[in-house]
Amino acid sequence: IQKLCDRVASSTLLDDRRDAVRALKSLSKKYRLEVGIQAMEHLIHVLQTDRSDSEIIGYALDTLYNVISNDLEEEEQEENSAKQVDDLGSQFTEIFIKQQENVTLLLTLVEEFDFHVRWPGVKLLTSLLKQQGPQVQQIILVSPMGVSRLMDLLADSREVIRNDGVLLLQQLTKSNAAIQKIVAFENAFERLLDIITEEGNSDGGIVVEDCLLLLQNLLKNNNSNQNFFKEGSYIQRMKPWFEVGDDNCGWSAQKVTNLHLMLQLVRVLVSPTNPPGATSSCQKAMFHCGLLQQLCTILMATGVPADILTETINTVSEVIRGCQTNQDYFASVNAPSNPPRPAIVVLLMSMVNERQPFVLRCAVLYCFQCFLYKNQKGQGEIVSTLLPSTIDATGNSVSAGQLLCGGLFSTDSLSNWCAAVALAHALQENATLKEQLLRVQLATSIGNPPVSLLQQCTNILSQGSKVQTRVGLLMLLCTWLSNCSIAVTHFLHNPANVPFLTGQIAENLGEEEQLVQGLCALLLGISIYYNDNSLENYRKEKLKQLIEKRIGRENFIEKLGFISKHELYSRAAQKPQPSFSSPDHMMFDHEFTKLVKELEGVISKAIYKSSEEDKKEEEVKKTLEQHDNIVTHYKKVIREQDQELEELKQRINTLTSQNEQLQATVTQQVSQIQQHKDQYNLLKVQLGKDTQHHNSHGDTLQMNGIQTEEVSKLREELEEWKNKHELLQGQLKEKDSVIEKLNSSQLEMGATEQSLQTSRFGGLEHSNELQKELEMLRTQIQLQSVEISKLQMENQKLQVMNTTADPMLGDSGATAATSSELEGQLEQEIRELKSQVKALSEEKESLKQQLDSSTSTVAILQDKNTKLQRELAESKKEQDDLLVLLADQDQTISAQKMKLKDFGVAVEDEDDTESGDQGDEDEDGDEDEQD
C-alpha cells in the first residue's frame, strides 16, 4: 500500500498513476484502515489534479467510498465490532470533510455526465452524509448552487444514477428544514410524483419506496413545504395510489410497504400536530379531490391485509378529525353488506369484538374519537341511538349506542375500556347530551325494573371488576359529571356512591389500585366542585367535612396527584392517537388527560376552602354569572348590531352602486334630452322653412293638381263680392223707384202746398233723409264697384295663371314629377315628425318613470330630478305645440283637398299618389332610356 501510494504521488505518467489507484481500490475493501490512513491524501490530490481523466477519477472515488462507507464492512463484521466499524467510517469522514473544499470538489464531480465519475461521486457523497450528516449538510448548504446541482440527479436518464440520487437526497434532507425547502422549490414534488407514476404507483418496486421516504422527509414537520404541496395541487395526484381492485388477495410485500408509506404520507399532511389552518385546508382538498372517498373504499373492501386496513383506519381518522364536511361524509358511508350498515357501526363491531387484533381495535377507537372531535351533530346522533324514543323496537338492526352499551358491560375488560372512552367522547364539551344521557334506561334482567345508565356504571364499579374496566368507567363518569350540575345531583342521589368513593380513597391498597384511588378522588372532587347544593345531605360543606373526617385533606390531595404522576398518563398526554404496546397499558385517554390537567388544581383549591369562602365564591359565581349574562346579552346585541351594520354596509354599497348607475343614467338621459331638444329645434326650423317654402310656391304653382290656399280664398271672396254687388244693385233699383214715386207725388201736391204745409214739411224732411241715404248708397256702390273691378282684375290674373299652369301639368311630366317629389318629401317629413314626436313622448314617459323611481330610492338626486321634470314638462309643451302645429297642417291640407274637390279639381289620395309617383318615376325612366 505504501509503494502504491508513492507511485500515485511521484509517477509522472498518467497510466502509472491510474494503475496504482486501481490497485489501491482492489485493496481498499480488505485493508480499509491501512488504505484510508495512507492513501486518502493522495486520492484527494488525484481528484484535484487529474480531472481530465475520468477513469482515474472513478477509481479514486470508488476507493474513497470503500474506505468511508460502512455498508460493505457491516455485512462481514460481527456484532461486537459493529461500533468500531461505525467509528472508523465516521473518523475517515471527519478527515475528508475537514477541508470544506473537498466536499465542494465532490459536488463539482457529481455534475460530470460521465457515468464512471458521477455514479461513484453520488455514492461517496451519500456515504459522507450517512456518517456526518449535519456537518456535510451545512457545507453543501453554503456552497453556491450546492443543492440545485444535486437536484439534477433526478432528471438523469440512467436509472441507476437517478435511484441513487433519490437515496442521496434522502440523507441530505434529514432533519434540515432549510435544505428541505430548497429541494421542494427545486420542483422535487413534481419529479418524485412522476417517478412514482412511471414505476406503477403502489405496484412499483423499491424505487417507489425510496421516493415516498424522500417525500416524507420533505413534508414531515415542515409547514412551508406542506403548504407548497397543497397549493401545487399535488394532493390530487395521490388519489390513484389508493385504487384497489375487487380481488385484493396475494399482495406482494413491496406493495404492502409502498401502500403503508403512502398512507403515512397522507397522515403527515393532516397530522393533529400541524397548525390547525394547514390541516383543515388539506382535509378539504382531500375531500374535494375524492381521496377520502378512495380511502373509505379501501376501508370497506375485502381481502385487504390487516396492517394496511389498520393504517387506513388511522389515516381516515386524521382526514376527518375536526372537519365537519369530512365527518358528515364519513357518517354517510355504508358497508357493502345486506342490508347495508353504516361504516361506523361496522367499525364499532370490530372494536368490541375481543377476537380482533389489538392494533385494529385501537385504530377503530381512534377513528371514532376523530369522528366525534368538535362534531356536536355526530355526538347527538350517537347519543340519540341510546334514548328510549329512538331505539329500534324490532331489533332488526344494531345501532352504535347498543354496541357501546354492549361493550361497556361485556366480560372483556378491553371492550369495557374502549366503550367507556368512546361514550365519553360522545359527551365531550356537550352539556346538553350529558343531561339527555341521564334518561337512558337499561333492562338488567327479566322481571327487574330498568336502571339508569349512570346507576349501572356505579354498580359495576362497586362489584370490584378488573382495574382496566374500573379506570374506563371512572373516566366516563368524570367526563359525564364535569360541568354538569344535574348529572352530579343524579350521582349523589344514590346513597351508596359517596360511601363507596370515600372507602376506595381511604384504603391503603397496592400500586395497581393507586390509579383507581386517584380517579375516585377526582370523581369525588368533581361532585364537590360542580355541586349546586340542591341535595341537603350532600351539600359542598358536608362533603368536605366527610373528606376531612374519613380521608384527610392532605391524603385526598395526595391520592388525587397519583393520576398525573403515572407513567401511562404522561404517554397518553403526548398525542391524540391511542398507541399502546400491550392491552395492559391501555389506561388513559388523551382528551381525559386534558380534563385532569384542567380540574386537578381547582379541586385542590375547592377542598381547602372554608364555608365562608364557599359562600363568597358562590356570590362571586353568581356575580360572574350575572356579569356573564350581561356580557352575553351585550355580545348578542353587538352581534346583532354587527349584523345590522354589515347589512347596512351592504345596503350602502348597493345604494352607492345604484346611485352611480342612476347618476350615469341621469347623465345619459340629460344628454339624450339635449339631443332631443336639438333635434326638436332642428325639426322646428325645418318645419318653418317648409311652411315658408310651401306658401311662397303657393302663388305660382299647383302641386299635384291641388290649388293653393290663396286661390281658393280669393275665389270665395270673389263670389261673396258678386253676391253683395247683385244685392246692392237690387237695393239701388228699389230706391230709384221710391224716388220717382216721391217726385210724382210732389208734383201732384204742388197745388195744395199751402193747405198741406205741415205734410209738405214732413215730406221735405223725409226727402232730405232719402237724399242723404241715396248719396251714401251711391258712394258705397262706387267703392264696391272699385273693389269689384280690382277683384275682377285679380281674378283674370289668376285665371291666366291657371290657364298657363294647366298646359304645364298636361305637357311636362318632369314638372309633375318634381311637384310629386315635393309632396312625397313633405308627407315623409310629416310622418317622420309624427314618429319622432311619438318616440319623444314615449321616451319622455320612460324617463319620467325612471326619474320617479330614482327620486324614491335616492334622496340626494331629488333636486336634479325636479330640474329634469321641469325640462321634461317644457319639452312636453313644445312637443304638444309641435303636435298642434302638425295637426293644423293636416287639417289645412285636408281642407285644401276638399275645397279643390269642390272646385272640380281632381285630387289623389296618398295611396294613389304613391302609385302615381311610382308610375311617374317609371315614365321618367322610360323617357331617359329613349333619350
Side-chain angles (χ1 to χ4, degrees):
I1 292 171
Q2 182 62 47
K3 287 180 181 179
L4 291 171
C5 289
D6 291 341
R7 283 176 61 189
V8 172
S10 59
S11 295
T12 55
L13 292 176
L14 180 61
D15 291 342
D16 291 343
R17 293 198 302 278
R18 188 190 301 124
D19 293 340
V21 174
R22 185 190 296 117
L24 284 171
K25 174 190 170 185
S26 61
L27 293 170
S28 61
K29 293 181 180 179
K30 190 173 183 180
Y31 303 101
R32 177 183 176 192
L33 179 62
E34 292 80 2
V35 172
I37 292 171
Q38 298 180 44
M40 180 172 285
E41 189 176 342
H42 300 296
L43 292 170
I44 292 171
H45 184 69
V46 167
L47 294 178
Q48 292 171 345
T49 57
D50 291 330
R51 289 185 58 185
S52 59
D53 185 67
S54 61
E55 194 172 353
I56 192 173
I57 294 293
Y59 291 147
L61 290 171
D62 283 333
T63 307
L64 287 169
Y65 173 73
N66 292 338
V67 168
I68 290 172
S69 174
N70 293 326
D71 296 343
L72 299 173
E73 201 67 27
E74 281 176 354
E75 297 173 4
E76 301 171 6
Q77 293 290 333
E78 296 180 358
E79 291 182 2
N80 55 5
S81 62
K83 187 176 181 183
Q84 181 185 354
V85 171
D86 289 340
D87 290 343
L88 192 61
S90 179
Q91 289 170 7
F92 282 134
T93 301
E94 194 169 345
I95 294 169
F96 184 83
I97 66 174
K98 202 172 218 180
Q99 299 293 329
Q100 293 190 7
E101 295 81 5
N102 295 339
V103 179
T104 308
L105 175 64
L106 189 55
L107 289 171
T108 308
L109 293 172
V110 168
E111 280 191 289
E112 296 288 337
F113 186 73
D114 194 313
F115 181 81
H116 297 289
V117 176
R118 196 172 206 182
W119 188 39
V122 170
K123 291 195 295 180
L124 175 58
L125 192 54
T126 305
S127 184
L128 292 173
L129 284 162
K130 283 182 180 178
Q131 303 296 335
Q132 296 285 342
Q135 293 89 336
V136 179
Q137 284 175 343
Q138 197 59 35
I139 295 169
I140 293 174
L141 193 58
V142 298
S143 299
M145 300 292 291
V147 179
S148 300
R149 296 181 200 176
L150 299 178
M151 283 300 299
D152 294 337
L153 297 171
L154 294 181
D156 200 306
S157 58
R158 295 160 293 193
E159 288 191 8
V160 177
I161 293 177
R162 184 198 68 184
N163 298 344
D164 281 351
V166 174
L167 296 174
L168 168 60
L169 291 170
Q170 272 184 35
Q171 299 299 326
L172 180 65
T173 55
K174 273 185 180 177
S175 305
N176 193 309
I179 293 178
Q180 289 168 2
K181 289 179 184 178
I182 295 171
V183 171
F185 282 97
E186 288 285 344
N187 207 23
F189 294 138
E190 184 76 32
R191 295 182 185 181
L192 291 171
L193 291 172
D194 287 341
I195 293 171
I196 292 172
T197 305
E198 290 169 9
E199 295 291 326
N201 295 328
S202 59
D203 294 321
I206 196 169
V207 179
V208 173
E209 179 183 347
D210 293 335
C211 290
L212 291 169
L213 289 170
L214 176 53
L215 283 170
Q216 278 194 25
N217 283 354
L218 295 174
L219 292 171
K220 198 167 189 178
N221 299 323
N222 193 317
N223 300 328
S224 173
N225 282 2
Q226 289 173 7
N227 190 46
F228 181 68
F229 190 84
K230 177 185 70 71
E231 290 183 352
S233 300
Y234 295 118
I235 290 177
Q236 287 84 329
R237 295 187 60 179
M238 298 169 73
K239 183 187 173 186
W241 295 354
F242 304 103
E243 292 176 356
V244 295
D246 297 331
D247 185 13
N248 296 311
C249 301
W251 283 13
S252 65
Q254 186 62 57
K255 179 169 183 176
V256 172
T257 303
N258 290 344
L259 206 52
H260 203 271
L261 288 171
M262 289 170 174
L263 291 167
Q264 286 181 349
L265 193 61
V266 175
R267 292 185 66 185
V268 164
L269 294 170
V270 292
S271 171
T273 58
N274 293 344
T279 300
S280 176
S281 58
C282 288
Q283 288 172 331
K284 290 175 183 175
M286 288 176 183
F287 174 75
H288 290 303
C289 76
L291 181 58
L292 174 59
Q293 293 85 328
Q294 203 68 48
L295 292 172
C296 290
T297 304
I298 297 177
L299 203 65
M300 296 292 108
T302 54
V304 178
D307 52 346
I308 293 297
L309 182 60
T310 303
E311 189 64 21
T312 303
I313 294 172
N314 288 327
T315 306
V316 170
S317 305
E318 293 183 352
V319 172
I320 67 173
R321 186 176 188 268
C323 181
Q324 188 67 51
T325 306
N326 294 3
Q327 289 166 338
D328 291 343
Y329 170 76
F330 184 69
S332 67
V333 174
N334 288 323
S337 59
N338 191 15
R341 285 177 176 170
I344 296 173
V345 172
V346 175
L347 291 174
L348 287 177
M349 291 171 72
S350 301
M351 186 184 76
V352 297
N353 185 353
E354 55 186 308
R355 291 190 297 273
Q356 292 291 343
F358 173 64
V359 289
L360 180 63
R361 297 174 76 180
C362 289
V364 172
L365 176 61
Y366 184 45
C367 185
F368 191 72
Q369 290 174 350
C370 290
F371 169 67
L372 297 178
Y373 182 70
K374 292 184 179 179
N375 182 11
Q376 292 192 349
K377 179 183 175 184
Q379 289 176 324
E381 289 172 354
I382 297 297
V383 171
S384 67
T385 59
L386 286 166
L387 299 177
S389 59
T390 56
I391 293 175
D392 186 6
T394 60
N396 292 332
S397 62
V398 63
S399 67
Q402 291 170 329
L403 287 171
L404 289 176
C405 281
L408 197 61
F409 308 123
S410 73
T411 55
D412 178 31
S413 61
L414 190 60
S415 296
N416 301 153
W417 191 92
C418 290
V421 170
L423 200 54
H425 275 262
L427 303 175
Q428 201 79 35
E429 298 179 358
N430 199 322
T432 306
L433 295 181
K434 290 177 183 178
E435 295 176 11
Q436 287 187 6
L437 202 63
L438 296 170
R439 296 166 45 206
V440 176
Q441 300 288 321
L442 301 174
T444 52
S445 59
I446 299 174
N448 292 329
V451 297
S452 68
L453 177 61
L454 183 66
Q455 181 63 44
Q456 185 65 14
C457 290
T458 55
N459 291 343
I460 295 172
L461 271 178
S462 60
Q463 290 170 5
S465 51
K466 291 182 181 179
V467 173
Q468 193 175 41
T469 300
R470 284 182 285 159
V471 168
L473 289 171
L474 284 168
M475 286 196 297
L476 171 60
L477 289 172
C478 289
T479 306
W480 194 348
L481 268 60
S482 65
N483 205 20
C484 185
S485 301
I486 299 176
V488 171
T489 304
H490 277 72
F491 178 75
L492 295 175
H493 196 269
N494 186 349
N497 288 339
V498 174
F500 168 74
L501 292 177
T502 53
Q504 286 285 316
I505 299 166
E507 290 182 14
N508 289 321
L509 302 173
E511 188 176 347
E512 288 185 357
E513 294 292 331
Q514 285 183 350
L515 190 54
V516 177
Q517 286 184 317
L519 290 169
C520 287
L522 179 66
L523 183 58
L524 188 55
I526 289 172
S527 300
I528 294 172
Y529 185 72
Y530 291 106
N531 192 342
D532 59 359
N533 294 326
S534 58
L535 294 175
E536 185 62 32
N537 294 331
Y538 296 105
R539 296 174 66 86
K540 283 185 178 182
E541 190 59 33
K542 290 189 176 182
L543 288 174
K544 284 193 282 188
Q545 290 174 2
L546 184 66
I547 290 173
E548 181 67 28
K549 290 179 183 178
R550 299 276 181 91
I551 304 167
R553 291 181 182 177
E554 289 78 10
N555 191 23
F556 179 86
I557 299 300
E558 183 185 356
K559 297 290 175 71
L560 184 62
F562 284 165
I563 302 173
S564 56
K565 292 175 184 175
H566 203 282
E567 180 187 359
L568 297 176
Y569 174 90
S570 302
R571 288 185 190 174
Q574 291 174 1
K575 58 180 182 177
Q577 183 182 359
S579 56
F580 307 100
S581 56
S582 69
D584 296 335
H585 292 163
M586 204 172 197
M587 288 293 175
F588 284 109
D589 171 57
H590 177 76
E591 292 295 326
F592 181 73
T593 61
K594 293 181 182 178
L595 183 67
V596 172
K597 193 180 294 184
E598 178 187 341
L599 294 177
E600 189 175 9
V602 296
I603 289 174
S604 300
K605 290 179 183 177
I607 295 298
Y608 281 104
K609 284 179 183 176
S610 63
S611 58
E612 293 179 357
E613 289 176 341
D614 278 339
K615 288 179 182 178
K616 288 181 181 178
E617 187 179 350
E618 286 295 329
E619 291 176 359
V620 170
K621 274 188 178 178
K622 288 180 181 177
T623 307
L624 287 174
E625 284 179 3
Q626 291 175 357
H627 181 265
D628 288 341
N629 291 335
I630 294 170
V631 170
T632 306
H633 172 69
Y634 280 113
K635 280 183 179 177
K636 186 178 179 181
V637 171
I638 289 169
R639 197 177 298 113
E640 290 174 356
Q641 288 178 348
D642 285 341
Q643 289 177 355
E644 290 178 2
L645 189 62
E646 286 297 324
E647 290 176 359
L648 288 172
K649 282 182 179 177
Q650 292 178 359
R651 192 174 175 185
I652 285 169
N653 293 332
T654 306
L655 289 173
T656 305
S657 61
Q658 287 181 358
N659 186 11
E660 291 174 355
Q661 291 177 359
L662 288 170
Q663 283 181 345
T665 307
V666 166
T667 307
Q668 186 179 359
Q669 289 172 354
V670 167
S671 63
Q672 288 179 356
I673 287 170
Q674 190 60 41
Q675 290 177 2
H676 292 156
K677 280 184 176 181
D678 296 340
Q679 290 177 2
Y680 172 72
N681 292 330
L682 185 61
L683 289 170
K684 199 171 174 184
V685 172
Q686 287 180 354
L687 185 62
K689 288 182 179 178
D690 291 341
T691 307
Q692 292 176 1
H693 180 72
H694 182 280
N695 292 334
S696 63
H697 285 76
D699 296 335
T700 56
L701 291 177
Q702 181 183 8
M703 298 171 65
N704 198 21
I706 301 173
Q707 290 184 341
T708 61
E709 186 180 358
E710 191 67 26
V711 173
S712 61
K713 285 182 179 180
L714 289 172
R715 287 184 177 178
E716 290 174 1
E717 289 178 0
L718 183 61
E719 292 296 328
E720 288 177 1
W721 285 116
K722 282 181 178 179
N723 294 330
K724 287 181 180 181
H725 180 68
E726 291 176 356
L727 183 61
L728 289 172
Q729 282 182 347
Q731 290 176 355
L732 186 59
K733 287 179 180 179
E734 289 178 358
K735 297 295 180 183
D736 288 337
S737 62
V738 170
I739 289 168
E740 288 178 357
K741 286 178 181 178
L742 288 172
N743 287 329
S744 61
S745 63
Q746 188 177 5
L747 292 174
E748 288 177 357
M749 293 175 67
T752 60
E753 189 174 6
Q754 290 178 355
S755 60
L756 296 173
Q757 189 68 34
T758 306
S759 315
R760 183 172 173 272
F761 281 110
L764 285 173
E765 288 175 1
H766 184 61
S767 176
N768 289 333
E769 289 175 2
L770 290 174
Q771 287 290 338
K772 289 178 182 179
E773 189 177 355
L774 182 61
E775 290 299 326
M776 288 173 66
L777 288 171
R778 283 179 178 171
T779 54
Q780 190 176 358
I781 288 168
Q782 289 176 358
L783 290 171
Q784 289 178 354
S785 299
V786 173
E787 288 179 5
I788 289 169
S789 61
K790 287 180 181 179
L791 288 171
Q792 286 175 348
M793 291 175 68
E794 288 178 4
N795 190 17
Q796 289 175 0
K797 289 179 180 179
L798 287 172
Q799 287 176 356
V800 170
M801 290 169 63
N802 263 341
T803 53
T804 54
D806 289 337
M808 290 172 68
L809 287 171
D811 300 332
S812 175
T815 305
T818 303
S819 61
S820 64
E821 285 176 1
L822 287 172
E823 185 193 14
Q825 288 177 1
L826 180 61
E827 290 177 350
Q828 184 177 359
E829 285 175 358
I830 290 168
R831 284 196 297 272
E832 288 176 356
L833 286 171
K834 285 182 179 180
S835 62
Q836 288 175 0
V837 168
K838 186 177 180 181
L840 284 171
S841 62
E842 290 175 354
E843 286 180 2
K844 171 189 65 76
E845 291 296 326
S846 64
L847 288 173
K848 187 175 179 182
Q849 291 175 0
Q850 291 177 2
L851 288 172
D852 289 339
S853 62
S854 65
T855 50
S856 63
T857 308
V858 185
I860 303 169
L861 295 177
Q862 286 180 351
D863 296 333
K864 293 185 179 179
N865 289 338
T866 307
K867 293 179 183 178
L868 287 173
Q869 285 176 354
R870 289 174 184 172
E871 292 176 0
L872 285 171
E874 293 173 1
S875 176
K876 182 179 178 182
K877 186 177 179 181
E878 291 174 355
Q879 290 166 3
D880 291 337
D881 294 339
L882 183 58
L883 285 170
V884 170
L885 188 60
L886 291 173
D888 291 340
Q889 189 174 3
D890 286 338
Q891 290 178 0
T892 303
I893 291 172
S894 59
Q896 289 173 0
K897 288 182 180 179
M898 292 297 295
K899 289 176 181 179
L900 288 173
K901 284 181 181 178
D902 293 339
F903 279 122
V905 179
V907 180
E908 295 179 351
D909 293 330
E910 288 180 3
D911 297 336
D912 299 333
T913 304
E914 290 174 1
S915 61
D917 293 344
Q918 185 66 37
D920 293 339
E921 289 174 3
D922 294 339
E923 289 173 7
D924 293 342
D926 295 337
E927 288 174 7
D928 293 336
E929 288 175 2
Q930 290 174 6
D931 293 338

